[in-house]
Amino acid sequence: ISYGLINAIINAIIFFLINRKHGEFTASILYVDLAVTTFILSVIVAFFAFMAVKGAAKKGNPFVAAFGRQDHLLIKGFPKNNILAALLIGMINTILVPALFVGIAAGLNLLPMGLLAATLLKGAACGTAGALTGYLAIMSAALEMEQEAVEAA
């Protein structure tokens, strides 16, 4: 949840400050902005999550998964390489998050929208992307560590 809250607040503030003089935001402008931001944000957050899991395990606070990699629909297909896993998480989020949030805005007939509405949309989308990335990255790293421990035993 913290990955989501932090990203929602920071990205909404940055978006507001950068776009203060911009008038209206159309679906295409919002979609491109969200897609680029979501990909970059997801890759960066994934690396932080991978490091957090490994750091916690080194300190003696192991992450214990309740199920194996085979049982998780998304995680079982993830690569074991953290760089590739981070890029995959970025691609998953880039496909899902902008389409969901711009789609909701379009479905509710809110487009084009002004700065405040676009800032709120950006914050909500980045929060969702951050939370989803945190979940996927932590589960991927934790299950990977569990699998390595089983193979070593």
Side-chain angles (χ1 to χ4, degrees):
I1 294 176
S2 63
Y3 291 119
L5 290 174
I6 292 166
N7 284 302
I9 294 166
I10 291 173
N11 281 290
I13 291 169
I14 291 170
F15 182 83
F16 181 82
L17 294 175
I18 289 174
N19 293 296
R20 283 186 296 210
K21 297 179 182 176
H22 198 288
E24 288 188 332
F25 296 88
T26 63
S28 59
I29 291 170
L30 288 169
Y31 194 90
V32 170
D33 182 75
L34 287 176
V36 171
T37 303
T38 299
F39 183 77
I40 294 168
L41 169 113
S42 296
V43 171
I44 292 169
V45 169
F47 282 119
F48 279 114
F50 293 146
M51 290 187 299
V53 170
K54 289 181 181 177
K58 285 181 184 177
K59 291 179 181 177
N61 182 10
F63 287 81
V64 179
F67 46 84
R69 184 178 281 269
Q70 306 80 286
D71 298 331
H72 198 288
L73 180 65
L74 286 175
I75 303 298
K76 72 178 182 179
F78 274 34
K80 294 181 181 184
N81 181 310
N82 284 346
I83 295 172
L84 295 177
L87 291 172
L88 180 60
I89 290 169
M91 286 188 275
I92 290 169
N93 279 344
T94 303
I95 292 168
L96 295 177
V97 173
L100 174 67
F101 281 89
V102 174
I104 289 171
L108 294 174
N109 201 25
L110 300 174
L111 296 172
M113 62 177 53
L115 178 61
L116 181 59
T119 301
L120 294 173
L121 182 79
K122 174 79 173 225
C126 289
T128 301
L132 181 59
T133 298
Y135 169 74
L136 292 174
I138 288 170
M139 289 303 297
S140 177
L143 292 173
E144 185 63 36
M145 290 175 61
E146 179 184 290
Q147 188 175 24
E148 288 173 2
V150 169
E151 289 172 0

